[in-house]
Amino acid sequence: MTETVEPRTPEATRRLLEAFFAAAVNDAWPDLADTYKWADRTRPFVTKALDRPDIPLVLPAFEKAMDRFTVYVVVDKREDVVPTSELIKAFAGPSHLAQASMERPARLDPEVEIERILLETVNAAAVFRLGAGPTAKRWPGLTDALRLMQEVLAMRPVRSWHVAKPAGRLLAEFDAALAAGGEASSALILEQLRETGGLDASNLAYLTIKRLNRLGKDAEIQELPRLADVVRQEPPTPVREALLESLYFSAIEKYLAADEIDGAIELLAEIGTHVRELLSGPLRLRSTGALTIAVLAGIIGDDHELLEHAKARLISLQQIEELPAVVRAELLNRTADASNDAVVADGTTPTISSWAELVAALSEDFPAARHVLRESSWQDWSSPADDDEKIASLLDGLPDEGAEQIWSAVGAFLDAVGYHDPAGHSAEAFILNALTYNRFHPGDLLAIQALLGVALRDAPSADRYSSLLREIGSEADRWVAPERASTALDMVDSLVLAACPDEAERRQLGYRLLTPLSRHSKRLEKVDIAFARVLDDELELGLPWQTEQNDDQTDSEKWFAGEVNVLLYSLDEKVLGRVTEQLRSVAPNTRVTTSSDHVGSPRLRKWVQHADLVVLITRSATHAATGFISNHASKDKIAYVDGSGSASLLHTTLTELEKRFG
């Protein structure tokens, strides 16, 4: 954006419209000429742009020579970006948009003339680039939907129409979304947190780093501005670890993979500006990547105390064998023998040391409980599954105020149980908490779906199974809608994949979750319709699934025929198997490889490098895997799933295949 951009005054708006609709660049309404036969299609948007500067601009663009139609939605204020995204989803959504990714702001290309005009004439907080696909008959539907959106907004009083949720509630939803694999949802919640003004710059930076770390985007962490300021603020342990891990995977790992320890040491000495500060104080790190950086820093500084502490920490975590071989050999050569029971004392006595104690402390809003979540101290505890019924009893007995507070721990709980420690009673109690307190925002719903998977993997009795499914079904009408189709389908798929002690209850919940989607199936994306039909057949529900008549995008079952190598990554092997099976039906020429590796390996490197597309579910994934994948795949190869179930993975994979290779 140039320095000459002005605020959107009436005169600035007129200049924008004249430039945007100039005959040389835009055939939607050339030179705003009254004699143009299709002027009435565009006139309402121009009128709103001039009369209502308080609502988003909607600007259609048509390239006749390319037969390409695009609508740009321009948002002036940062606080209106997320609400506008939600409005676009509600008014246009799957019914009219070619891709779900269009519901998020776009990065304009200055090489495209019409986008250059926007960059140079509008001081926008965000611009959405919307398209209905190449079929001309779909274009009027998109413009009608956006015109209705503007008309609804224009009927409201002239005021800020953004209603901010409390920062504490957003923080809990952010952690829940991130733990449940919500890549897009966590991004939107982080944007809302920026808008509320309830967090300072340091805490916003911590959340950004935490999110990028979960996604394995190490290079992006290292490129963040003002990292020195973040380090000086003495960030919590998870942020320190993320910064060290990002340095390891983005710069150092490739040297150690080739056994070039001297090269790694030389580079770290050159670029590791903040390493010593990040390693100050007790060494509470848990990741092998971060501890590898600690060992290298000890070698560089000839710091025997740091080397001894790093070795003791690695032994206590049983991770010393995970160190790169050349680093492990150097560490053992420079340190004395240590007992396998070695520990590193941090000089403090924890006041909370179990999940049951954490639940009790959170219910009273004790500061020590907040400290546990901030530092992720729970990672040193035994799994919640070891004390499941006690934790569930505490959760069920919380008063209203305590029950509101406890949702802040749901993200940590999901991380702690992963896929292999099903604390079923506790998961059920968290689900009931969500239903009772109306937690139906996108990040919360992703957490509910993940919690349902935890509860079902615990093989509940028929009574527990029936009770839980009835509770979920009783609230389904409040949130199931086309824009939440993937989450609803993920829940139904969880039912299908899990053991079933009560077939009637399973079919009943499947019916309650799928019926609203069936009722509005013309608004669903074709990949969601295809998978909904599969689930419907498996549950023998017999629901109707209609598509728009004569729509060339929703016809064939085999609707992607390209030959593409795809790597799917998730720690849920059932989901990987399920999606692989579906891809064989709808994309038979796609060669699918799956991985649930916890760490990098030569095998995983080979798969990543040979893949044309890598699709990642980040729920419970270790950074040793996601960071490794990101380090060995170009950024444009990777797609992240917003969720953790089969429907979400299938939706993302097929959408990306069609967008990139269709």
Side-chain angles (χ1 to χ4, degrees):
M1 216 170 286
T2 69
E3 296 294 331
T4 60
V5 172
E6 304 174 11
R8 189 157 68 89
T9 63
E11 182 57 33
T13 300
R14 288 190 186 91
R15 287 199 299 271
L16 163 65
L17 295 172
E18 289 171 1
F20 189 87
F21 291 105
V25 295
N26 190 352
D27 298 306
W29 190 5
D31 293 329
L32 302 175
D34 287 335
T35 57
Y36 183 60
K37 66 180 296 186
W38 302 113
D40 288 344
R41 294 295 299 174
T42 305
R43 193 188 310 274
F45 300 114
V46 172
T47 301
K48 283 291 188 295
L50 294 168
D51 294 347
R52 291 300 298 266
D54 57 307
I55 64 177
L57 282 168
V58 176
L59 302 172
F62 176 47
E63 296 176 75
K64 189 174 182 179
M66 303 291 293
D67 201 29
R68 183 162 52 204
F69 181 72
T70 307
V71 182
Y72 295 92
V73 179
V74 181
V75 184
D76 291 331
K77 299 177 183 178
R78 176 179 286 276
E79 63 266 25
D80 292 341
V81 174
V82 173
T84 300
S85 173
E86 294 172 349
L87 286 167
I88 289 170
K89 182 181 294 185
F91 281 87
S95 300
H96 303 293
L97 296 181
Q99 300 166 8
S101 60
M102 292 176 176
E103 296 164 1
R104 299 175 63 181
R107 179 174 296 178
L108 299 184
D109 183 355
E111 300 298 318
V112 176
E113 178 66 11
I114 204 151
E115 297 191 2
R116 181 190 64 77
I117 291 170
L118 288 174
L119 286 167
E120 293 183 353
T121 56
V122 181
N123 189 15
V127 178
F128 296 81
R129 185 194 296 118
L130 311 181
T135 309
K137 66 179 181 178
R138 294 177 61 90
W139 301 346
L142 176 59
T143 54
D144 289 345
L146 295 174
R147 187 169 61 192
L148 178 60
M149 180 185 82
Q150 282 199 312
E151 288 173 355
V152 170
L153 287 173
M155 288 189 292
R156 304 182 70 170
V158 179
R159 59 181 174 82
S160 173
W161 44 275
H162 171 67
V163 179
K165 287 188 284 187
R169 184 118 187 198
L170 283 170
L171 275 170
E173 188 182 348
F174 174 82
D175 285 338
L178 203 58
E183 184 269 342
S185 297
S186 62
L188 286 173
I189 299 164
L190 183 56
E191 188 63 35
Q192 288 179 283
L193 281 162
R194 288 194 180 98
E195 295 163 9
T196 62
L199 297 179
D200 60 24
S202 294
N203 281 301
L204 287 171
Y206 297 164
L207 297 180
T208 300
I209 291 168
K210 182 178 179 179
R211 178 176 178 274
L212 293 175
N213 177 258
R214 178 61 68 105
L215 300 175
K217 294 186 175 183
D218 297 302
E220 291 189 32
I221 293 176
Q222 288 297 309
E223 293 167 1
L224 288 173
R226 305 176 68 88
L227 276 185
D229 293 340
V230 173
V231 173
R232 280 195 292 268
Q233 294 294 323
E234 297 185 0
T237 298
V239 175
R240 293 179 184 231
E241 189 157 74
L243 291 170
L244 292 168
E245 279 189 313
S246 68
L247 184 59
Y248 174 76
F249 281 104
S250 66
I252 304 301
E253 186 264 348
K254 60 185 176 183
Y255 286 96
L256 299 179
D259 291 337
E260 296 178 9
I261 190 170
D262 291 339
I265 289 172
E266 182 178 345
L267 182 60
L268 184 61
E270 178 184 343
I271 67 174
T273 311
H274 310 300
V275 168
R276 295 301 303 186
E277 291 174 89
L278 293 170
L279 293 172
S280 64
L283 205 63
R284 300 191 183 96
L285 305 175
R286 295 188 60 86
S287 83
T288 304
L291 285 164
T292 300
I293 294 291
V295 173
L296 294 176
I299 294 171
I300 292 169
D302 198 24
D303 187 336
H304 292 280
E305 183 178 2
L306 176 58
L307 290 172
E308 292 288 358
H309 281 196
K311 180 178 179 180
R313 184 65 173 162
L314 285 160
I315 291 174
S316 69
L317 294 171
Q318 299 181 350
Q319 290 175 197
I320 197 162
E321 294 300 319
E322 296 176 12
L323 280 180
V326 289
V327 177
R328 182 171 66 252
E330 191 68 25
L331 175 63
L332 296 176
N333 184 52
R334 289 171 176 259
T335 54
D337 291 337
S339 164
N340 287 338
D341 297 324
V343 295
V344 179
D346 62 11
T348 62
T349 302
T351 57
I352 301 174
S353 57
S354 71
W355 276 93
E357 291 175 5
L358 177 62
V359 170
L362 277 173
S363 70
E364 300 292 336
D365 200 20
F366 288 163
R370 299 290 163 198
H371 181 77
V372 165
L373 295 178
R374 175 183 168 87
E375 291 289 323
S376 294
S377 306
W378 50 267
Q379 292 184 345
D380 293 324
W381 304 343
S382 62
S383 168
D386 293 344
D387 214 0
D388 185 26
E389 293 191 37
K390 181 178 180 180
I391 296 167
S393 178
L394 288 168
L395 289 168
D396 288 337
L398 294 176
D400 285 352
E401 186 173 343
E404 279 286 350
Q405 297 287 345
I406 201 63
W407 194 249
S408 62
V410 73
F413 173 82
L414 286 171
D415 281 336
V417 299
Y419 287 105
H420 303 294
D421 289 321
H425 291 85
S426 302
E428 292 167 32
F430 269 117
I431 292 172
L432 293 179
N433 177 288
L435 301 177
T436 302
Y437 293 93
N438 304 318
R439 306 190 196 281
F440 301 125
H441 291 99
D444 298 328
L445 288 170
L446 292 178
I448 293 172
Q449 187 274 322
L451 289 166
L452 176 61
V454 174
L456 294 177
R457 276 193 295 276
D458 196 34
S461 66
D463 287 344
R464 281 175 54 203
Y465 182 89
S466 301
S467 175
L468 177 62
L469 269 54
R470 287 174 190 167
E471 291 285 355
I472 294 172
S474 69
E475 302 291 337
D477 290 344
R478 301 185 59 184
W479 65 269
V480 180
E483 57 268 27
R484 299 283 173 260
S486 288
T487 304
L489 294 173
D490 278 343
M491 287 192 184
V492 179
D493 190 59
S494 294
L495 296 175
V496 171
L497 292 176
C500 175
D502 191 325
E503 181 62 36
E505 290 294 347
R506 180 170 73 168
R507 293 185 74 250
Q508 179 63 22
L509 179 56
Y511 180 83
R512 300 200 68 161
L513 292 173
L514 293 179
T515 297
L517 301 182
S518 169
R519 191 179 301 127
H520 300 287
S521 55
K522 289 184 179 180
R523 293 183 56 200
L524 296 181
E525 295 187 47
K526 59 179 181 178
V527 58
D528 292 330
I529 291 177
F531 196 53
R533 284 173 171 158
V534 170
L535 295 170
D536 185 296
D537 289 344
E538 289 174 328
L539 293 174
E540 300 179 346
L541 300 177
L543 295 171
W545 299 96
Q546 300 177 351
T547 59
E548 292 185 22
Q549 296 299 313
N550 302 317
D551 188 336
D552 61 0
Q553 292 195 47
T554 57
D555 194 13
S556 173
E557 288 294 324
K558 295 181 175 65
W559 52 271
F560 183 81
E563 295 186 2
V564 180
N565 291 318
V566 176
L567 172 62
L568 306 179
Y569 180 85
S570 171
L571 293 186
D572 191 332
E573 295 183 7
K574 285 187 176 180
V575 164
L576 291 176
R578 178 78 149 169
V579 174
T580 299
E581 178 185 351
Q582 292 304 309
L583 285 172
R584 289 195 182 109
S585 298
V586 299
N589 295 329
T590 299
R591 293 179 290 276
V592 181
T593 304
T594 64
S595 173
S596 54
D597 292 356
H598 289 256
V599 297
S601 65
R603 179 184 66 170
L604 183 56
R605 182 188 299 112
K606 179 180 177 181
W607 288 345
V608 170
Q609 292 174 342
H610 281 80
D612 300 304
L613 173 66
V614 180
V615 188
L616 293 173
I617 287 179
T618 58
R619 188 194 154 202
S620 297
T622 64
H623 189 83
T626 58
F628 182 88
I629 290 170
S630 297
N631 190 38
H632 291 282
S634 58
K635 186 186 300 185
D636 59 357
K637 271 190 180 184
I638 299 177
Y640 296 91
V641 179
D642 194 43
S644 58
S646 303
S648 297
L649 179 56
L650 183 64
H651 182 112
T652 300
T653 304
L654 287 172
T655 299
E656 292 296 326
L657 284 172
E658 191 169 37
K659 179 172 72 175
R660 298 164 186 245
F661 309 106

